[in-house]
Amino acid sequence: MLSIRMRRTGSKKRPFFRIVVSEARSKKEGQFIDILGFYNPRTKPAVFEIDKDKVAHWVKVGARPSDSVRTLMAKHLTRDRGVVVEPVVAQPAAPTV
């Protein structure tokens, strides 16, 4: 099974992460199949860049994002979609006479 996960590439106390596709059974810092993007938590605001087309391809093939990658995508990619979902508020029923 394939997984989309973060791979740390930064030096000591300076984290920098690549978002990669790898075999789920491989080591966290082991071999990977493809690089999808990167995440730099040290900048203000944090920078998260990812190739949406590659993500869509790998998800269609069967790769599953890890919890941390799924959270990052939900947090950072919802702003780019341009679609704002408004909550539906139920209207009170008109009084019957």
Side-chain angles (χ1 to χ4, degrees):
M1 181 167 83
L2 298 173
S3 67
I4 300 173
R5 63 170 92 159
M6 295 194 312
R7 182 175 197 253
R8 184 181 166 131
T9 58
S11 61
K12 183 177 180 181
K13 298 193 182 200
R14 293 177 186 242
F16 185 86
F17 299 94
R18 286 184 182 161
I19 311 300
V20 298
V21 176
S22 64
E23 183 64 33
R25 292 174 289 171
S26 67
K27 296 182 201 176
K28 180 178 68 168
E29 306 300 327
Q31 293 180 344
F32 59 91
I33 300 169
D34 195 7
I35 298 174
L36 304 179
F38 66 89
Y39 172 59
N40 186 1
R42 292 185 48 88
T43 60
K44 299 293 181 197
V47 177
F48 179 76
E49 292 286 329
I50 195 162
D51 188 350
K52 296 175 192 172
D53 296 332
K54 282 187 177 182
V55 171
H57 166 73
W58 284 109
V59 168
K60 188 168 71 171
V61 170
R64 297 178 66 192
S66 66
D67 292 339
S68 55
V69 172
R70 191 176 356 191
T71 302
L72 283 173
M73 287 194 300
K75 181 178 178 183
H76 292 280
L77 295 184
T78 53
R79 288 185 267 148
D80 297 339
R81 290 184 188 149
V83 178
V84 178
V85 179
E86 295 293 328
V88 177
V89 178
Q91 298 293 331
T96 56
V97 178

Coordinates of all heavy atoms in Angstrom, one line a residue:
M1 N 0.8 -1.2 0.0 CA 0.0 0.0 0.0 C 0.9 1.2 0.0 O 1.9 1.3 0.7 CB -0.9 0.0 1.2 CG -1.8 1.2 1.3 SD -3.1 1.0 2.5 CE -2.3 1.6 3.9
L2 N 0.5 2.3 -0.7 CA 1.2 3.5 -0.8 C 0.7 4.5 0.2 O -0.5 4.5 0.5 CB 1.1 4.1 -2.2 CG 1.7 3.2 -3.4 CD1 1.3 3.9 -4.7 CD2 3.2 3.1 -3.2
S3 N 1.6 5.4 0.7 CA 1.2 6.4 1.6 C 1.8 7.7 1.2 O 3.0 7.8 0.6 CB 1.5 6.1 3.0 OG 2.9 6.1 3.2
I4 N 1.1 8.8 1.4 CA 1.7 10.2 1.2 C 2.0 10.7 2.6 O 1.2 10.8 3.4 CB 0.6 11.1 0.5 CG1 0.2 10.5 -0.8 CG2 1.1 12.5 0.4 CD1 -1.0 11.2 -1.5
R5 N 3.3 10.9 2.8 CA 3.8 11.3 4.1 C 4.8 12.4 4.0 O 5.3 12.7 3.0 CB 4.3 10.1 4.9 CG 5.5 9.4 4.2 CD 6.1 8.4 5.1 NE 5.5 7.1 4.9 CZ 6.1 6.0 5.2 NH1 7.3 6.0 5.8 NH2 5.6 4.8 5.0
M6 N 5.2 12.9 5.2 CA 6.2 13.9 5.3 C 7.6 13.2 5.6 O 7.6 12.3 6.4 CB 5.9 14.9 6.4 CG 4.7 15.7 6.1 SD 4.5 17.2 7.1 CE 4.7 16.6 8.8
R7 N 8.6 13.7 4.9 CA 10.0 13.2 5.1 C 10.8 14.4 5.6 O 11.0 15.4 4.8 CB 10.5 12.6 3.8 CG 11.8 12.1 3.9 CD 12.2 11.4 2.6 NE 13.3 10.5 2.7 CZ 14.5 10.7 2.3 NH1 14.7 11.8 1.6 NH2 15.5 9.9 2.5
R8 N 11.4 14.3 6.7 CA 12.2 15.4 7.3 C 13.6 15.5 6.5 O 14.3 14.5 6.4 CB 12.4 15.2 8.7 CG 13.2 16.4 9.3 CD 13.4 16.3 10.8 NE 14.4 17.2 11.2 CZ 14.2 18.0 12.3 NH1 13.1 17.9 13.0 NH2 15.1 18.9 12.6
T9 N 13.9 16.7 6.1 CA 15.2 16.9 5.4 C 16.0 18.0 6.0 O 17.1 18.2 5.7 CB 15.0 17.2 3.9 OG1 14.2 18.4 3.8 CG2 14.3 16.1 3.2
G10 N 15.4 18.7 7.0 CA 16.1 19.8 7.6 C 17.2 19.4 8.6 O 17.3 18.2 9.0
S11 N 18.1 20.3 8.9 CA 19.2 20.0 9.9 C 18.6 20.0 11.3 O 17.5 20.2 11.6 CB 20.3 21.0 9.7 OG 19.8 22.3 10.0
K12 N 19.5 19.8 12.2 CA 19.1 19.7 13.6 C 18.5 21.0 14.1 O 19.0 22.1 13.9 CB 20.4 19.5 14.5 CG 20.2 19.3 15.9 CD 21.5 19.0 16.6 CE 21.3 18.8 18.1 NZ 22.5 18.5 18.8
K13 N 17.3 20.9 14.7 CA 16.5 22.0 15.2 C 16.1 23.0 14.1 O 15.7 24.1 14.4 CB 17.2 22.8 16.3 CG 17.5 21.9 17.5 CD 18.0 22.6 18.7 CE 18.2 21.6 19.8 NZ 18.2 22.3 21.1
R14 N 16.1 22.6 12.9 CA 15.6 23.4 11.7 C 14.8 22.5 10.8 O 15.3 22.2 9.7 CB 16.8 24.1 11.0 CG 17.5 25.1 11.8 CD 18.7 25.6 11.1 NE 19.5 26.5 12.0 CZ 19.7 27.8 11.7 NH1 19.2 28.3 10.7 NH2 20.4 28.5 12.6
P15 N 13.6 22.2 11.2 CA 12.8 21.2 10.4 C 12.4 21.8 9.1 O 12.1 23.0 8.9 CB 11.6 20.9 11.3 CG 11.5 22.2 12.1 CD 12.9 22.7 12.4
F16 N 12.5 20.9 8.1 CA 12.0 21.2 6.7 C 11.5 19.9 6.2 O 12.2 18.9 6.4 CB 13.1 21.8 5.8 CG 12.6 22.2 4.5 CD1 12.1 23.4 4.3 CD2 12.7 21.3 3.4 CE1 11.7 23.8 3.0 CE2 12.3 21.6 2.2 CZ 11.8 22.9 1.9
F17 N 10.3 19.8 5.6 CA 9.8 18.5 5.3 C 9.4 18.5 3.8 O 9.0 19.5 3.2 CB 8.5 18.3 6.0 CG 8.6 18.2 7.5 CD1 8.5 19.3 8.3 CD2 9.0 17.0 8.1 CE1 8.6 19.3 9.7 CE2 9.2 17.0 9.5 CZ 9.0 18.1 10.3
R18 N 9.7 17.3 3.2 CA 9.2 17.1 1.8 C 8.0 16.2 1.9 O 7.9 15.3 2.8 CB 10.3 16.3 1.0 CG 11.4 17.1 0.6 CD 12.3 16.3 -0.3 NE 13.5 17.1 -0.7 CZ 14.6 16.6 -1.1 NH1 14.8 15.3 -1.2 NH2 15.6 17.4 -1.4
I19 N 7.0 16.4 1.1 CA 5.8 15.6 1.0 C 6.1 14.6 -0.1 O 6.3 14.9 -1.3 CB 4.6 16.4 0.7 CG1 4.4 17.6 1.6 CG2 3.3 15.5 0.7 CD1 4.3 17.4 3.0
V20 N 6.2 13.3 0.3 CA 6.6 12.2 -0.7 C 5.5 11.1 -0.7 O 4.7 11.0 0.2 CB 7.9 11.7 -0.3 CG1 9.0 12.7 -0.4 CG2 7.9 11.0 1.0
V21 N 5.6 10.3 -1.8 CA 4.8 9.1 -1.9 C 5.8 8.0 -1.6 O 6.9 7.9 -2.3 CB 4.2 8.9 -3.3 CG1 3.5 7.6 -3.4 CG2 3.2 10.1 -3.6
S22 N 5.5 7.1 -0.7 CA 6.4 5.9 -0.4 C 5.5 4.7 -0.1 O 4.3 4.8 0.2 CB 7.3 6.3 0.7 OG 6.6 6.5 1.9
E23 N 6.2 3.6 -0.1 CA 5.5 2.4 0.4 C 5.3 2.5 1.9 O 6.1 2.9 2.6 CB 6.5 1.2 0.1 CG 5.9 -0.2 0.4 CD 4.7 -0.5 -0.4 OE1 4.6 -0.1 -1.6 OE2 3.8 -1.2 0.2
A24 N 4.1 2.1 2.3 CA 3.7 2.3 3.7 C 4.6 1.5 4.7 O 4.8 1.9 5.8 CB 2.3 1.8 3.9
R25 N 5.2 0.4 4.2 CA 6.0 -0.4 5.1 C 7.5 0.0 5.1 O 8.2 -0.5 6.0 CB 6.0 -1.9 4.6 CG 4.6 -2.5 4.8 CD 4.6 -3.9 4.2 NE 4.6 -3.7 2.7 CZ 4.8 -4.7 1.9 NH1 4.9 -5.9 2.3 NH2 4.8 -4.5 0.6
S26 N 7.9 1.0 4.3 CA 9.2 1.5 4.3 C 9.5 2.4 5.5 O 8.5 2.9 6.1 CB 9.6 2.2 3.0 OG 8.9 3.4 2.9
K27 N 10.8 2.7 5.8 CA 11.1 3.5 6.9 C 10.6 4.9 6.7 O 10.4 5.3 5.5 CB 12.6 3.6 7.1 CG 13.2 2.3 7.5 CD 14.7 2.5 7.7 CE 15.5 1.3 7.6 NZ 16.9 1.6 7.7
K28 N 10.5 5.7 7.7 CA 10.0 7.1 7.6 C 11.0 7.9 6.8 O 10.6 8.7 6.0 CB 9.9 7.7 9.0 CG 9.4 9.1 9.0 CD 9.3 9.7 10.4 CE 10.6 9.8 11.1 NZ 10.6 10.6 12.3
E29 N 12.3 7.7 6.9 CA 13.3 8.4 6.2 C 13.9 7.6 5.1 O 14.9 7.9 4.5 CB 14.4 8.9 7.1 CG 13.9 9.7 8.3 CD 13.2 11.0 7.9 OE1 13.5 11.6 6.9 OE2 12.3 11.3 8.7
G30 N 13.2 6.5 4.7 CA 13.7 5.6 3.7 C 13.4 6.0 2.3 O 13.2 7.2 2.0
Q31 N 13.3 5.0 1.4 CA 13.1 5.3 0.0 C 11.7 5.8 -0.3 O 10.8 5.6 0.5 CB 13.2 4.0 -0.8 CG 14.6 3.4 -0.8 CD 14.7 2.1 -1.6 OE1 13.7 1.5 -1.9 NE2 15.9 1.7 -1.9
F32 N 11.6 6.6 -1.3 CA 10.4 7.2 -1.7 C 10.2 7.1 -3.2 O 11.2 6.9 -4.0 CB 10.2 8.6 -1.3 CG 11.2 9.6 -1.8 CD1 11.0 10.3 -3.0 CD2 12.4 9.8 -1.1 CE1 12.0 11.1 -3.4 CE2 13.4 10.6 -1.5 CZ 13.2 11.3 -2.7
I33 N 9.0 7.2 -3.7 CA 8.7 7.0 -5.1 C 8.7 8.4 -5.8 O 9.2 8.5 -6.9 CB 7.3 6.3 -5.3 CG1 7.4 4.9 -4.6 CG2 6.9 6.2 -6.8 CD1 6.1 4.2 -4.5
D34 N 8.0 9.4 -5.2 CA 7.8 10.6 -5.9 C 7.8 11.8 -4.9 O 7.3 11.6 -3.8 CB 6.5 10.6 -6.7 CG 6.4 11.8 -7.7 OD1 7.4 12.5 -7.9 OD2 5.4 11.9 -8.3
I35 N 8.3 13.0 -5.2 CA 8.2 14.1 -4.4 C 7.0 15.0 -4.8 O 6.9 15.3 -6.0 CB 9.5 15.0 -4.4 CG1 10.7 14.2 -3.9 CG2 9.3 16.2 -3.6 CD1 12.0 14.9 -4.1
L36 N 6.1 15.3 -3.9 CA 4.9 16.0 -4.3 C 5.0 17.5 -3.9 O 4.3 18.3 -4.5 CB 3.6 15.4 -3.6 CG 3.4 13.9 -3.9 CD1 2.2 13.5 -3.1 CD2 3.2 13.7 -5.4
G37 N 5.8 17.8 -2.9 CA 5.9 19.2 -2.5 C 6.7 19.3 -1.3 O 7.5 18.4 -0.9
F38 N 6.6 20.4 -0.6 CA 7.4 20.6 0.7 C 6.5 21.4 1.7 O 5.5 22.1 1.3 CB 8.7 21.3 0.4 CG 8.5 22.8 -0.1 CD1 8.5 23.8 0.7 CD2 8.5 23.0 -1.5 CE1 8.4 25.1 0.3 CE2 8.3 24.3 -2.0 CZ 8.3 25.4 -1.1
Y39 N 7.0 21.4 2.9 CA 6.4 22.2 4.0 C 7.5 22.7 4.9 O 8.4 22.0 5.3 CB 5.5 21.2 4.9 CG 5.0 21.9 6.1 CD1 4.2 23.0 6.1 CD2 5.3 21.3 7.4 CE1 3.7 23.6 7.3 CE2 4.8 21.8 8.5 CZ 4.0 23.0 8.5 OH 3.5 23.5 9.6
N40 N 7.5 24.1 5.1 CA 8.5 24.7 5.9 C 7.8 25.4 7.1 O 7.2 26.5 6.9 CB 9.3 25.8 5.1 CG 10.4 26.4 5.8 OD1 10.7 26.0 7.0 ND2 11.1 27.3 5.2
P41 N 7.8 24.8 8.2 CA 7.1 25.4 9.4 C 7.8 26.5 10.1 O 7.2 27.2 10.9 CB 7.0 24.2 10.3 CG 8.2 23.3 10.0 CD 8.4 23.5 8.5
R42 N 9.1 26.8 9.7 CA 9.8 27.8 10.3 C 9.5 29.2 9.9 O 9.9 30.2 10.5 CB 11.3 27.5 10.2 CG 11.8 26.3 11.0 CD 13.2 26.1 10.9 NE 14.0 27.2 11.2 CZ 14.5 27.6 12.4 NH1 14.1 26.9 13.4 NH2 15.2 28.6 12.5
T43 N 8.9 29.4 8.7 CA 8.6 30.7 8.2 C 7.3 31.2 8.8 O 6.5 30.4 9.3 CB 8.5 30.7 6.7 OG1 7.5 29.9 6.3 CG2 9.8 30.3 6.0
K44 N 7.1 32.5 8.8 CA 5.9 33.1 9.4 C 5.2 33.8 8.2 O 5.7 34.8 7.8 CB 6.2 34.1 10.5 CG 6.8 33.5 11.7 CD 5.9 32.6 12.4 CE 6.7 32.0 13.6 NZ 6.1 30.9 14.2
P45 N 4.1 33.4 7.7 CA 3.4 32.1 8.0 C 4.1 30.9 7.4 O 4.9 31.1 6.5 CB 2.0 32.3 7.4 CG 2.3 33.3 6.2 CD 3.4 34.2 6.7
A46 N 3.8 29.8 7.9 CA 4.4 28.5 7.4 C 4.1 28.4 5.9 O 3.0 28.7 5.4 CB 3.8 27.3 8.1
V47 N 5.0 27.9 5.1 CA 4.9 27.7 3.7 C 4.6 26.2 3.4 O 5.3 25.3 3.9 CB 6.2 28.1 2.9 CG1 6.1 27.8 1.5 CG2 6.5 29.6 3.2
F48 N 3.5 26.0 2.6 CA 3.1 24.6 2.2 C 2.9 24.7 0.7 O 1.9 25.3 0.3 CB 1.9 24.2 3.0 CG 1.4 22.8 2.6 CD1 2.0 21.7 3.1 CD2 0.3 22.7 1.9 CE1 1.6 20.4 2.8 CE2 -0.2 21.4 1.5 CZ 0.5 20.3 2.0
E49 N 3.7 24.0 0.0 CA 3.6 24.0 -1.5 C 3.4 22.5 -1.9 O 4.2 21.7 -1.5 CB 4.8 24.5 -2.2 CG 5.0 26.0 -2.0 CD 4.0 26.8 -2.8 OE1 3.6 26.4 -3.9 OE2 3.6 27.9 -2.4
I50 N 2.4 22.2 -2.7 CA 2.2 20.9 -3.2 C 1.6 20.9 -4.6 O 0.9 21.8 -4.9 CB 1.3 20.1 -2.2 CG1 1.3 18.6 -2.4 CG2 -0.1 20.6 -2.3 CD1 0.8 17.8 -1.2
D51 N 2.0 19.9 -5.4 CA 1.5 19.8 -6.7 C 0.1 19.0 -6.7 O 0.1 17.8 -6.5 CB 2.5 19.0 -7.6 CG 2.1 19.0 -9.1 OD1 1.0 19.4 -9.4 OD2 3.0 18.6 -9.9
K52 N -1.0 19.8 -6.9 CA -2.3 19.2 -6.7 C -2.6 18.1 -7.8 O -3.3 17.1 -7.5 CB -3.3 20.3 -6.8 CG -3.3 21.3 -5.7 CD -4.2 22.4 -6.0 CE -3.9 23.6 -5.0 NZ -4.8 24.7 -5.4
D53 N -2.0 18.2 -9.0 CA -2.2 17.2 -10.0 C -1.6 15.9 -9.6 O -2.2 14.8 -9.8 CB -1.7 17.7 -11.4 CG -2.4 19.0 -11.9 OD1 -3.6 19.1 -11.5 OD2 -1.8 19.7 -12.6
K54 N -0.3 16.0 -9.1 CA 0.3 14.8 -8.7 C -0.4 14.1 -7.5 O -0.5 12.9 -7.5 CB 1.8 15.1 -8.2 CG 2.7 15.2 -9.4 CD 4.1 15.4 -8.8 CE 5.2 15.5 -9.9 NZ 6.5 15.6 -9.4
V55 N -0.9 14.9 -6.6 CA -1.7 14.4 -5.4 C -2.9 13.6 -6.0 O -3.2 12.5 -5.5 CB -2.0 15.5 -4.4 CG1 -3.0 14.9 -3.4 CG2 -0.8 16.0 -3.8
A56 N -3.6 14.3 -6.9 CA -4.8 13.7 -7.4 C -4.5 12.3 -8.1 O -5.2 11.3 -8.0 CB -5.5 14.6 -8.4
H57 N -3.4 12.3 -8.9 CA -3.0 11.1 -9.5 C -2.7 10.0 -8.5 O -3.2 8.8 -8.7 CB -1.7 11.3 -10.4 CG -1.1 10.1 -10.9 ND1 -1.6 9.3 -11.8 CD2 0.1 9.5 -10.5 CE1 -0.8 8.3 -12.0 NE2 0.2 8.4 -11.2
W58 N -1.9 10.3 -7.5 CA -1.5 9.2 -6.6 C -2.7 8.8 -5.7 O -2.7 7.6 -5.4 CB -0.3 9.7 -5.7 CG 1.0 9.7 -6.4 CD1 1.7 10.7 -6.9 CD2 1.7 8.5 -6.9 NE1 2.8 10.3 -7.5 CE2 2.8 8.9 -7.6 CE3 1.4 7.1 -6.8 CZ2 3.7 8.1 -8.1 CZ3 2.4 6.3 -7.3 CH2 3.5 6.7 -8.0
V59 N -3.6 9.7 -5.4 CA -4.8 9.2 -4.6 C -5.6 8.3 -5.5 O -6.2 7.3 -5.0 CB -5.6 10.5 -4.1 CG1 -6.9 10.1 -3.6 CG2 -4.7 11.2 -3.0
K60 N -5.7 8.6 -6.8 CA -6.5 7.8 -7.7 C -5.9 6.4 -7.8 O -6.6 5.4 -8.0 CB -6.6 8.5 -9.1 CG -7.6 7.8 -10.0 CD -7.9 8.6 -11.2 CE -6.7 8.7 -12.1 NZ -6.9 9.4 -13.4
V61 N -4.5 6.4 -7.8 CA -3.8 5.1 -7.9 C -4.0 4.3 -6.6 O -3.9 3.1 -6.6 CB -2.3 5.3 -8.2 CG1 -1.5 4.1 -8.1 CG2 -2.2 5.9 -9.6
G62 N -4.2 4.9 -5.5 CA -4.5 4.2 -4.2 C -3.7 4.7 -3.0 O -3.7 4.0 -2.0
A63 N -2.9 5.7 -3.2 CA -2.1 6.2 -2.1 C -3.0 6.9 -1.0 O -4.0 7.6 -1.4 CB -1.0 7.2 -2.5
R64 N -2.7 6.7 0.3 CA -3.5 7.3 1.3 C -2.6 8.3 2.1 O -1.5 8.0 2.6 CB -4.0 6.2 2.3 CG -4.9 5.2 1.6 CD -5.3 4.2 2.5 NE -6.2 4.7 3.5 CZ -6.5 4.1 4.6 NH1 -6.1 2.9 4.8 NH2 -7.3 4.6 5.5
P65 N -3.1 9.6 2.2 CA -2.3 10.6 3.0 C -2.3 10.2 4.5 O -3.2 9.7 5.0 CB -3.0 11.9 2.7 CG -4.2 11.6 2.0 CD -4.3 10.1 1.6
S66 N -1.2 10.5 5.1 CA -1.1 10.3 6.6 C -1.9 11.4 7.2 O -2.4 12.3 6.6 CB 0.4 10.5 7.0 OG 0.9 11.8 6.8
D67 N -2.1 11.2 8.5 CA -2.9 12.2 9.3 C -2.4 13.6 9.2 O -3.1 14.6 9.0 CB -3.0 11.8 10.7 CG -3.8 10.5 10.9 OD1 -4.6 10.2 10.0 OD2 -3.7 9.8 11.9
S68 N -1.1 13.7 9.4 CA -0.4 15.1 9.3 C -0.5 15.7 8.0 O -0.8 16.9 7.9 CB 1.0 15.0 9.8 OG 1.7 14.1 9.1
V69 N -0.3 15.0 6.9 CA -0.5 15.5 5.6 C -1.9 15.9 5.3 O -2.2 16.9 4.7 CB 0.1 14.5 4.5 CG1 -0.2 15.0 3.1 CG2 1.6 14.3 4.7
R70 N -2.8 15.1 5.7 CA -4.3 15.4 5.5 C -4.6 16.6 6.2 O -5.4 17.5 5.6 CB -5.1 14.2 6.0 CG -6.5 14.3 5.6 CD -7.3 13.0 6.0 NE -6.2 12.2 6.6 CZ -6.3 10.9 7.0 NH1 -7.4 10.3 6.8 NH2 -5.4 10.2 7.5
T71 N -4.1 16.8 7.4 CA -4.4 18.1 8.1 C -3.8 19.3 7.4 O -4.5 20.3 7.3 CB -3.9 18.0 9.6 OG1 -4.4 16.8 10.2 CG2 -4.2 19.2 10.4
L72 N -2.6 19.2 7.0 CA -2.0 20.3 6.3 C -2.7 20.6 5.0 O -2.9 21.8 4.7 CB -0.5 19.9 5.9 CG 0.5 20.0 7.1 CD1 1.8 19.5 6.6 CD2 0.6 21.5 7.6
M73 N -3.1 19.6 4.2 CA -3.8 19.9 3.0 C -5.2 20.6 3.3 O -5.6 21.5 2.6 CB -4.0 18.6 2.2 CG -2.8 18.1 1.6 SD -3.0 16.8 0.3 CE -3.8 15.5 1.2
A74 N -5.9 20.1 4.3 CA -7.1 20.7 4.7 C -7.0 22.2 5.1 O -7.8 23.0 4.8 CB -7.8 19.9 5.8
K75 N -5.9 22.4 5.8 CA -5.7 23.8 6.4 C -5.2 24.7 5.3 O -5.7 25.9 5.3 CB -4.6 23.7 7.5 CG -4.3 25.0 8.1 CD -3.3 24.8 9.2 CE -2.9 26.1 9.9 NZ -1.9 26.0 10.9
H76 N -4.3 24.3 4.4 CA -3.7 25.2 3.5 C -4.3 25.3 2.1 O -4.2 26.3 1.4 CB -2.2 24.9 3.3 CG -1.4 25.2 4.6 ND1 -1.0 26.5 4.9 CD2 -1.0 24.4 5.6 CE1 -0.3 26.4 6.0 NE2 -0.3 25.2 6.5
L77 N -5.0 24.2 1.7 CA -5.5 24.2 0.4 C -6.9 24.7 0.3 O -7.4 25.0 -0.8 CB -5.4 22.8 -0.2 CG -4.0 22.2 -0.4 CD1 -4.1 20.8 -1.1 CD2 -3.2 23.1 -1.3
T78 N -7.6 24.8 1.4 CA -9.0 25.3 1.3 C -9.0 26.7 0.9 O -10.0 27.2 0.3 CB -9.7 25.1 2.7 OG1 -8.9 25.7 3.7 CG2 -10.0 23.6 3.0
R79 N -8.0 27.5 1.3 CA -7.9 28.9 0.9 C -7.8 29.1 -0.6 O -8.3 30.0 -1.2 CB -6.8 29.6 1.6 CG -7.0 29.8 3.1 CD -5.9 30.6 3.6 NE -4.9 29.6 4.2 CZ -3.6 29.8 4.2 NH1 -3.1 30.9 3.7 NH2 -2.8 28.9 4.7
D80 N -7.1 28.1 -1.3 CA -6.8 28.2 -2.7 C -8.0 27.8 -3.6 O -8.0 28.2 -4.7 CB -5.6 27.3 -3.1 CG -4.4 27.8 -2.3 OD1 -4.3 29.0 -1.9 OD2 -3.5 27.0 -2.2
R81 N -9.0 27.2 -3.0 CA -10.1 26.7 -3.9 C -11.0 27.8 -4.4 O -11.5 27.7 -5.4 CB -10.9 25.7 -3.1 CG -10.2 24.4 -2.9 CD -11.1 23.4 -2.2 NE -10.3 22.2 -1.8 CZ -10.6 21.5 -0.8 NH1 -11.6 21.7 0.0 NH2 -9.8 20.5 -0.5
G82 N -11.1 28.9 -3.6 CA -11.9 30.0 -4.0 C -13.4 29.8 -3.7 O -14.2 30.6 -4.0
V83 N -13.8 28.6 -3.3 CA -15.2 28.3 -3.0 C -15.4 28.4 -1.5 O -14.7 27.7 -0.7 CB -15.6 26.9 -3.5 CG1 -17.0 26.6 -3.2 CG2 -15.3 26.8 -5.0
V84 N -16.3 29.2 -1.1 CA -16.5 29.4 0.3 C -17.9 28.7 0.6 O -18.9 29.0 0.0 CB -16.6 30.9 0.8 CG1 -16.9 31.0 2.2 CG2 -15.3 31.5 0.4
V85 N -17.9 27.8 1.5 CA -19.1 27.1 1.9 C -19.8 27.8 3.0 O -19.2 27.8 4.1 CB -18.8 25.6 2.2 CG1 -20.1 24.9 2.6 CG2 -18.1 24.9 1.0
E86 N -20.9 28.3 2.8 CA -21.7 28.9 3.9 C -22.5 27.9 4.7 O -23.1 27.0 4.1 CB -22.6 30.0 3.3 CG -21.9 31.1 2.6 CD -21.1 32.0 3.5 OE1 -21.5 32.2 4.7 OE2 -20.1 32.5 3.1
P87 N -22.5 28.0 6.0 CA -23.3 27.1 6.8 C -24.8 27.4 6.5 O -25.2 28.5 6.4 CB -22.9 27.4 8.2 CG -22.4 28.8 8.2 CD -21.8 29.0 6.8
V88 N -25.6 26.3 6.5 CA -27.0 26.4 6.3 C -27.7 26.7 7.6 O -27.5 25.9 8.6 CB -27.6 25.2 5.6 CG1 -29.1 25.3 5.4 CG2 -26.9 25.0 4.3
V89 N -28.5 27.7 7.7 CA -29.2 28.1 9.0 C -30.6 27.8 8.7 O -31.2 28.3 7.7 CB -28.9 29.5 9.4 CG1 -29.7 29.8 10.6 CG2 -27.5 29.8 9.6
A90 N -31.3 27.0 9.6 CA -32.7 26.7 9.4 C -33.5 28.0 9.7 O -33.3 28.6 10.7 CB -33.1 25.6 10.3
Q91 N -34.5 28.3 8.8 CA -35.4 29.4 9.0 C -36.5 29.0 9.9 O -37.0 27.9 9.8 CB -35.9 29.9 7.7 CG -34.8 30.4 6.8 CD -34.2 31.7 7.3 OE1 -34.8 32.4 8.0 NE2 -32.9 31.8 6.9
P92 N -36.9 29.8 10.9 CA -38.0 29.4 11.7 C -39.3 29.4 10.9 O -39.5 30.1 10.0 CB -38.1 30.6 12.8 CG -37.4 31.7 12.2 CD -36.4 31.1 11.2
A93 N -40.2 28.4 11.3 CA -41.4 28.3 10.6 C -42.4 29.4 10.8 O -42.4 30.0 11.9 CB -42.1 27.0 11.0
A94 N -43.1 29.8 9.8 CA -44.1 30.9 9.9 C -45.2 30.5 10.8 O -45.7 29.4 10.7 CB -44.6 31.3 8.5
P95 N -45.6 31.4 11.7 CA -46.7 31.0 12.6 C -48.0 30.8 11.8 O -48.4 31.6 10.9 CB -46.9 32.2 13.5 CG -46.2 33.3 12.8 CD -45.2 32.7 11.9
T96 N -48.8 29.7 12.1 CA -50.0 29.5 11.5 C -51.2 30.0 12.3 O -51.2 30.0 13.5 CB -50.2 27.9 11.3 OG1 -50.2 27.3 12.6 CG2 -49.2 27.4 10.4
V97 N -52.1 30.7 11.6 CA -53.2 31.3 12.3 C -54.5 30.5 12.1 O -54.8 29.9 11.3 CB -53.4 32.8 11.8 CG1 -54.6 33.4 12.5 CG2 -52.1 33.5 12.0

